[in-house]
mmCIF file of all heavy atoms in Angstrom:
data_model
loop_
_atom_site.group_PDB
_atom_site.id
_atom_site.type_symbol
_atom_site.label_atom_id
_atom_site.label_comp_id
_atom_site.label_asym_id
_atom_site.label_seq_id
_atom_site.Cartn_x
_atom_site.Cartn_y
_atom_site.Cartn_z
ATOM 1 N N TYR A 101 338.263 188.931 51.149
ATOM 2 C CA TYR A 101 338.384 189.933 50.116
ATOM 3 C C TYR A 101 337.018 190.390 49.707
ATOM 4 O O TYR A 101 336.011 189.706 49.715
ATOM 5 C CB TYR A 101 339.148 189.329 48.964
ATOM 6 C CG TYR A 101 340.499 188.807 49.203
ATOM 7 C CD1 TYR A 101 340.715 187.536 49.816
ATOM 8 C CD2 TYR A 101 341.643 189.587 48.913
ATOM 9 C CE1 TYR A 101 341.950 187.046 50.051
ATOM 10 C CE2 TYR A 101 342.902 189.148 49.198
ATOM 11 C CZ TYR A 101 343.048 187.819 49.823
ATOM 12 O OH TYR A 101 344.310 187.389 50.065
ATOM 13 N N ASP A 102 336.882 191.753 49.323
ATOM 14 C CA ASP A 102 335.624 192.216 48.827
ATOM 15 C C ASP A 102 335.444 191.929 47.309
ATOM 16 O O ASP A 102 336.237 191.271 46.694
ATOM 17 C CB ASP A 102 335.527 193.738 49.107
ATOM 18 C CG ASP A 102 336.501 194.588 48.383
ATOM 19 O OD1 ASP A 102 337.230 194.033 47.510
ATOM 20 O OD2 ASP A 102 336.586 195.761 48.554
ATOM 21 N N GLY A 103 334.455 192.550 46.742
ATOM 22 C CA GLY A 103 334.123 192.293 45.353
ATOM 23 C C GLY A 103 335.147 192.741 44.313
ATOM 24 O O GLY A 103 335.165 192.321 43.193
ATOM 25 N N LEU A 104 335.933 193.675 44.759
ATOM 26 C CA LEU A 104 337.051 194.241 44.020
ATOM 27 C C LEU A 104 338.345 193.357 44.307
ATOM 28 O O LEU A 104 339.483 193.728 43.782
ATOM 29 C CB LEU A 104 337.371 195.649 44.166
ATOM 30 C CG LEU A 104 336.186 196.615 43.789
ATOM 31 C CD1 LEU A 104 336.542 198.077 44.174
ATOM 32 C CD2 LEU A 104 335.889 196.542 42.373
ATOM 33 N N ARG A 105 338.283 192.263 45.042
ATOM 34 C CA ARG A 105 339.332 191.399 45.438
ATOM 35 C C ARG A 105 340.458 192.218 46.208
ATOM 36 O O ARG A 105 341.589 192.013 46.172
ATOM 37 C CB ARG A 105 339.978 190.770 44.270
ATOM 38 C CG ARG A 105 338.970 189.929 43.423
ATOM 39 C CD ARG A 105 339.627 189.075 42.383
ATOM 40 N NE ARG A 105 338.640 188.349 41.621
ATOM 41 C CZ ARG A 105 338.810 187.542 40.573
ATOM 42 N NH1 ARG A 105 340.088 187.464 40.121
ATOM 43 N NH2 ARG A 105 337.902 186.948 39.966
ATOM 44 N N ARG A 106 339.983 193.192 46.936
ATOM 45 C CA ARG A 106 340.842 193.904 47.902
ATOM 46 C C ARG A 106 340.793 193.254 49.223
ATOM 47 O O ARG A 106 339.607 192.932 49.786
ATOM 48 C CB ARG A 106 340.421 195.368 48.029
ATOM 49 C CG ARG A 106 340.415 196.185 46.705
ATOM 50 C CD ARG A 106 339.872 197.563 46.937
ATOM 51 N NE ARG A 106 338.554 197.496 47.585
ATOM 52 C CZ ARG A 106 337.813 198.557 47.882
ATOM 53 N NH1 ARG A 106 338.427 199.819 47.719
ATOM 54 N NH2 ARG A 106 336.613 198.533 48.531
ATOM 55 N N LEU A 147 332.584 197.362 50.685
ATOM 56 C CA LEU A 147 331.413 197.818 49.983
ATOM 57 C C LEU A 147 330.377 196.545 49.698
ATOM 58 O O LEU A 147 330.860 195.416 49.642
ATOM 59 C CB LEU A 147 331.767 198.444 48.569
ATOM 60 C CG LEU A 147 332.680 199.668 48.701
ATOM 61 C CD1 LEU A 147 333.221 199.975 47.272
ATOM 62 C CD2 LEU A 147 331.833 200.804 49.253
ATOM 63 N N THR A 150 329.654 190.712 46.610
ATOM 64 C CA THR A 150 330.298 189.360 46.970
ATOM 65 C C THR A 150 331.558 189.434 47.749
ATOM 66 O O THR A 150 332.377 190.310 47.324
ATOM 67 C CB THR A 150 330.487 188.548 45.710
ATOM 68 O OG1 THR A 150 329.264 188.405 44.953
ATOM 69 C CG2 THR A 150 331.047 187.205 46.005
ATOM 70 N N TYR A 152 334.859 187.251 49.405
ATOM 71 C CA TYR A 152 335.572 185.921 49.153
ATOM 72 C C TYR A 152 336.319 185.615 50.540
ATOM 73 O O TYR A 152 336.962 186.500 51.084
ATOM 74 C CB TYR A 152 336.537 186.083 47.954
ATOM 75 C CG TYR A 152 335.943 186.286 46.626
ATOM 76 C CD1 TYR A 152 335.742 187.641 46.246
ATOM 77 C CD2 TYR A 152 335.447 185.286 45.850
ATOM 78 C CE1 TYR A 152 335.056 187.864 44.999
ATOM 79 C CE2 TYR A 152 334.775 185.503 44.637
ATOM 80 C CZ TYR A 152 334.581 186.791 44.259
ATOM 81 O OH TYR A 152 334.037 187.103 43.001
ATOM 82 N N LEU A 194 328.945 194.951 44.029
ATOM 83 C CA LEU A 194 330.199 194.415 43.468
ATOM 84 C C LEU A 194 329.966 192.944 43.450
ATOM 85 O O LEU A 194 330.429 192.116 44.207
ATOM 86 C CB LEU A 194 331.277 194.805 44.351
ATOM 87 C CG LEU A 194 331.593 196.311 44.494
ATOM 88 C CD1 LEU A 194 332.746 196.531 45.421
ATOM 89 C CD2 LEU A 194 331.855 196.900 43.056
#
Side-chain angles (χ1 to χ4, degrees):
Y101 300 83
D102 66 5
L104 298 177
R105 299 186 186 179
R106 303 176 303 179
L147 297 170
T150 298
Y152 298 93
L194 300 176

